[in-house]
Amino acid sequence: MLWQALTFQLGYNATLVTLGATLLGVAAGVTGTFLFLRKRALVSDAISHATLPGVGLAFILMVAMGGDGRSLLGLMLGSAGSAWIGLLCISALTRRTRLAEDAAIGAVLSVFFGIGIVFLTFIQTMSEGRQAGLEGFLLGSTAGMLYSDAVIIAVGGAAVLLAVIAFRRPLSAVAFDPEFAASSGLNVPRLDLIMMGLVMAITVVGLKIVGLILIVALLIIPPVTARFWSERVTGVLWVAGIVGGVSGYVGAALSAIAPALPTGPVIVLVSFSMFALSLFFAPARGVLAAVLKHLSFQRRVHVRQGLLALAQGQPIYEKLTLRLLRRAGLARADGVATSDGKARAAKALRDETRWQMARSREEFALAATFYDGLTEIETVLTGDQITELDRLIGAPKGVRP
Amino acid sequence: MIGEEFVALSLTPMLIGMLAAIACALPGNFLLLRRQALIGDAISHVVLPGIVVAFLITGVVAAVPMMLGAAGAAIVAVVMIEAIRRLGRIEPGAAMGVTFTAMFAGGVLLLEQSDTSAVHLDVEHALFGNLESLIWLDATGWASLFDREALAYLPVELPRLLIVLTVVALFTWVFWRPLKISTFDESFAQSIGVRTGPLGFALVIVAALAAVAAFDAVGSIIVIAMFICPPAAARLMTNDLGTQVAWSVFFATLSAVIGYVLAGYGPLWLGADNAVSAAGMIAAVSGAILALTAIAGPHKSRSGAPAKG
């Protein structure tokens, strides 16, 4: 079943929806990256919750004008309208009052959602409203979708993706460095507006598949996942697009074989599992890599301290130090240095003495900032400087009888 | 609307709405000033998986396991947000977004997979609450307030919220000075010996407590709205923290009362015959109050000394 769903063999509608979800996922991942880099990820949460009154009002209006009320296109137009008003409210609250953006986001999100719920409960009392299925917009549902709706979703997904591709260059310039983008002639406020427009388009298209409560996940999780894999804007954009696309594709396919489940949570959990994998196993920034890095650092500190102790003839009590030295063939089990160990210990002690001299002298102040107890001084100072240090330290002197 | 019917059908939901609103608005004041306003949003989302897991383990919808489950979920969420923020060096907003959407999605799927048809537990209940159904059928009039037998059948949410509100109010009162100082100047608070870390954590826990209790009674919309709207509106009314808290309590009460009345009786006045969601209407009224203060509040813009470069 799953294989059939993944290879588009579950009928025309399911195929269209899966395709639409994939395209939408790619578009959402890329747009979400711009939002994420601008540190405005949660604005999208307010935008998506603000669509609800529009959906309700559009339904009521369409019914009042004698229409069906369930026309997806009409509902989408309504949702776009109220999302736009919500966006205007956020910018008015942050610009014209002293409230911070997070308060404005929270206020718009909850108030618009509340108004939307009022409309929904009103619709439930209308005779036409009982089978409206508007609750499907909360968590997404692809079950029993009309052919025309599936076409709208597929076309909408493709259109949003094309728009994202068209604007990717100026948007990534602004996301990466707004001041530089402004100085090179880009209209930053207008591009911010375009970015918000794209977020709105994604929300509106995704409303039916993902649902308005969770669509924000499609904009946040892919870029956060991608951030673990790349340090470059282009890299993050690519990975985010792929993660978003795979989430949409696998999520929509999974929900095609389990129609009872709401689609949104399935898609979100698919993308979250990709995030969790990245969090643990990403090569440079993942948890596993961090643990390995920490362990290797710990080993280096222990070996270094052990060598210094050997050089100064002090006994080593720390078991880990002793084990590491033994494994490297630098010391015997009773804590006595091997000949190799003696040479390395002498080198470590000389290094440490040179560092101490360097740190006590004004002229080496800059180099001294590199001191961390592990770095060898030859990697920081030139040969001439080390000769100068050795002169300051002085030659070994005998003990007067 | 004054009389038997009012006491039996409207008094308790209205009181519960008020208590929930005030319990959320009190910690909301501090969260707002600390730029943590969206914590309420995150908490109200992660509470769902906690409650579902508690239900799956115990098999009953009871207050104590649900509270424990919700508190556990809140702690898991806080740890997860911190872990993502530190390990991935991700900004807190995005880390929060990842955490609460994933946990909410998990909660919804768990709920849909498990057999909860026998009990009153579903996603819509979690979102909108069931304020209207918290009626006091044993009341026969105002005299029932002094009737011990009728009082025994009060909806349990009312005394529970009363206890939670007392805890929240006590916390705010006892820690008023350290909370105030650490909210406005954290390093000064540290220098005079306030342990700001544990205090901030305690504030989040108290907020979670209020959110869970209110969530159980009235759904998550009111929780989010009451954490943010009354304190934000109050912030635009005054520069003094004490006055701000007082205003926020007033606004929260006002939203609950007007919202409930509008939801219950508004449609009747307009000629429709069914009430609309009280939770949604309370959130809408709190938004209207915020809009009014944003237009005409005496302290709506930044005032006082100009910002130093």
Side-chain angles (χ1 to χ4, degrees):
Chain A
M1 257 321 240
L2 177 61
W3 179 247
Q4 282 178 330
L6 286 175
T7 49
F8 303 116
Q9 289 167 9
L10 279 183
Y12 203 63
N13 272 8
T15 304
L16 277 178
V17 170
T18 312
L19 266 179
T22 312
L23 297 175
L24 183 75
V26 176
V30 174
T31 313
T33 308
F34 300 135
L35 270 183
F36 171 70
L37 290 174
R38 295 285 272 152
K39 297 197 174 23
R40 300 186 69 190
L42 286 175
V43 178
S44 55
D45 203 19
I47 294 182
S48 58
H49 281 73
T51 55
L52 191 58
V55 171
L57 209 56
F59 183 88
I60 296 172
L61 276 180
M62 283 191 288
V63 169
M65 291 190 302
D68 175 22
R70 277 180 296 177
S71 149
L72 186 57
L73 207 59
L75 297 177
M76 279 162 82
L77 280 179
S79 69
S82 74
W84 189 247
I85 295 174
L87 203 55
L88 290 183
C89 288
I90 294 182
S91 83
L93 275 179
T94 41
R95 270 198 214 150
R96 317 239 338 243
T97 75
R98 59 179 177 183
L99 296 174
E101 189 169 41
D102 64 338
I105 289 173
V108 167
L109 181 157
S110 55
V111 171
F112 274 66
F113 197 67
I115 298 174
I117 295 303
V118 169
F119 283 138
L120 279 198
T121 45
F122 176 72
I123 288 171
Q124 273 163 1
T125 67
M126 292 163 59
S127 55
E128 299 87 350
R130 294 198 200 287
Q131 271 86 43
L134 292 187
E135 291 77 21
F137 285 101
L138 293 179
L139 292 167
S141 84
T142 51
M145 192 180 279
L146 296 174
Y147 169 69
S148 57
D149 294 356
V151 170
I152 291 176
I153 286 169
V155 172
V160 179
L161 182 57
L162 283 179
V164 171
I165 291 173
F167 287 112
R168 72 189 185 285
R169 282 181 195 285
L171 281 179
S172 44
V174 171
F176 188 65
D177 189 344
E179 275 88 31
F180 178 73
S183 72
S184 54
L186 290 172
N187 187 340
V188 176
R190 180 180 294 168
L191 283 165
D192 271 344
L193 210 63
I194 290 174
M195 182 172 77
M196 287 304 155
L198 285 175
V199 170
M200 226 175 69
I202 286 166
T203 309
V204 167
V205 176
L207 215 51
K208 181 77 182 167
I209 319 179
V210 190
L212 60 91
I213 296 181
L214 287 172
I215 189 114
V216 56
L218 217 52
L219 288 158
I220 292 184
I221 298 180
V224 174
T225 308
R227 193 65 190 83
F228 282 93
W229 295 94
S230 178
E231 304 282 335
R232 302 171 53 84
V233 175
T234 343
V236 174
L237 282 173
W238 272 103
V239 180
I242 293 169
V243 170
V246 172
S247 317
Y249 170 61
V250 177
L254 275 178
S255 81
I257 57 173
L261 292 181
T263 324
V266 177
I267 294 182
V268 171
L269 286 184
V270 170
S271 77
F272 181 74
S273 44
M274 278 191 274
F275 163 76
L277 283 178
S278 311
L279 173 67
F280 285 104
F281 301 117
R285 305 177 60 149
V287 174
L288 193 65
V291 169
L292 289 179
K293 217 181 291 171
H294 177 77
L295 284 180
S296 111
F297 180 73
Q298 191 188 26
R299 271 200 300 272
R300 283 174 60 205
V301 171
H302 274 273
V303 168
R304 172 83 174 191
Q305 292 303 319
L307 285 174
L308 287 177
L310 285 180
Q312 286 159 343
Q314 291 160 349
I316 299 170
Y317 297 111
E318 174 64 43
K319 288 212 174 59
L320 178 62
T321 313
L322 203 55
R323 204 166 62 233
L324 287 170
L325 287 175
R326 251 177 58 205
R327 207 183 299 158
L330 299 174
R332 294 204 311 260
D334 55 1
V336 177
T338 61
S339 57
D340 201 11
K342 278 181 192 143
R344 287 277 302 276
K347 163 87 172 63
L349 186 60
R350 190 181 60 182
D351 209 42
E352 198 61 30
T353 320
R354 282 171 174 171
W355 269 119
Q356 264 162 29
M357 180 51 74
R359 290 169 72 206
S360 68
R361 306 289 298 194
E362 189 81 8
E363 62 264 38
F364 292 105
L366 187 62
T369 57
F370 286 92
Y371 176 75
D372 58 0
L374 288 175
T375 315
E376 300 197 337
I377 202 161
E378 288 90 343
T379 61
V380 177
L381 296 182
T382 64
D384 290 350
Q385 285 173 309
I386 291 178
T387 320
E388 169 67 12
L389 273 181
D390 286 345
R391 198 187 58 73
L392 288 168
I393 294 167
K397 292 184 188 104
V399 185
R400 222 171 271 167
Chain B
M1 71 192 232
I2 305 290
E4 292 166 26
E5 201 186 313
F6 173 77
V7 176
L9 297 179
S10 295
L11 179 66
T12 43
M14 210 185 248
L15 274 178
I16 289 172
M18 268 169 56
L19 293 179
I22 297 172
C24 290
L26 277 179
N29 279 296
F30 296 99
L31 293 176
L32 181 88
L33 292 169
R34 290 163 173 246
R35 305 265 163 117
Q36 294 178 326
L38 288 171
I39 288 229
D41 182 23
I43 291 174
S44 61
H45 278 86
V46 302
V47 157
L48 181 70
I51 287 181
V52 176
V53 169
F55 168 74
L56 290 180
I57 293 174
T58 59
V60 288
V61 179
V64 174
M66 273 164 84
M67 286 280 205
L68 287 178
I75 291 171
V76 168
V78 169
V79 170
M80 211 160 116
I81 292 174
E82 274 304 293
I84 294 174
R85 209 170 62 80
R86 298 230 175 118
L87 291 170
R89 278 155 283 169
I90 303 287
E91 55 129 348
M96 209 155 84
V98 172
T99 307
F100 78 72
T101 52
M103 287 182 75
F104 187 77
V108 170
L109 281 190
L110 267 182
L111 196 55
E112 298 283 337
Q113 286 281 311
S114 55
D115 180 31
T116 48
S117 49
V119 293
H120 196 72
L121 191 63
D122 56 49
V123 178
E124 272 156 47
H125 172 208
L127 289 173
F128 324 151
N130 58 344
L131 196 51
E132 294 87 346
S133 69
L134 301 174
I135 47 179
W136 185 22
L137 282 179
D138 294 82
T140 48
W142 288 103
S144 301
L145 285 177
F146 307 100
D147 180 358
R148 192 168 291 212
E149 223 166 284
L151 280 177
Y153 289 96
L154 267 177
V156 291
E157 283 83 0
L158 188 62
R160 196 187 298 157
L161 267 171
L162 202 57
I163 295 171
V164 168
L165 178 59
T166 316
V167 172
V168 172
L170 267 179
F171 173 81
T172 318
W173 184 63
V174 170
F175 292 102
W176 178 262
R177 263 182 62 83
L179 268 177
K180 182 175 175 177
I181 297 170
S182 69
T183 297
F184 287 109
D185 191 342
E186 191 165 354
S187 34
F188 174 66
Q190 280 164 350
S191 73
I192 60 168
V194 177
R195 297 175 61 195
T196 50
L199 189 66
F201 191 69
L203 179 65
V204 173
I205 293 294
V206 166
L209 182 72
V212 172
F215 171 87
D216 183 27
V218 296
S220 56
I221 311 171
I222 295 197
V223 174
I224 306 173
M226 288 306 137
F227 264 122
I228 296 175
C229 292
R235 172 104 177 95
L236 304 180
M237 295 297 291
T238 172
N239 273 329
D240 176 68
L241 183 63
T243 322
Q244 180 189 325
V245 170
W247 271 115
S248 73
V249 169
F250 173 68
F251 285 147
T253 315
L254 204 64
S255 316
V257 173
I258 298 183
Y260 187 82
V261 170
L262 277 184
Y265 301 93
L268 304 185
W269 299 334
L270 290 178
D273 20 277
N274 285 294
V276 294
S277 161
M281 194 57 100
I282 292 176
V285 170
S286 75
I289 292 176
L290 176 60
L292 281 181
T293 55
I295 293 167
H299 293 276
K300 61 175 183 160
S301 322
R302 220 161 261 115
S303 58
K308 281 174 198 142

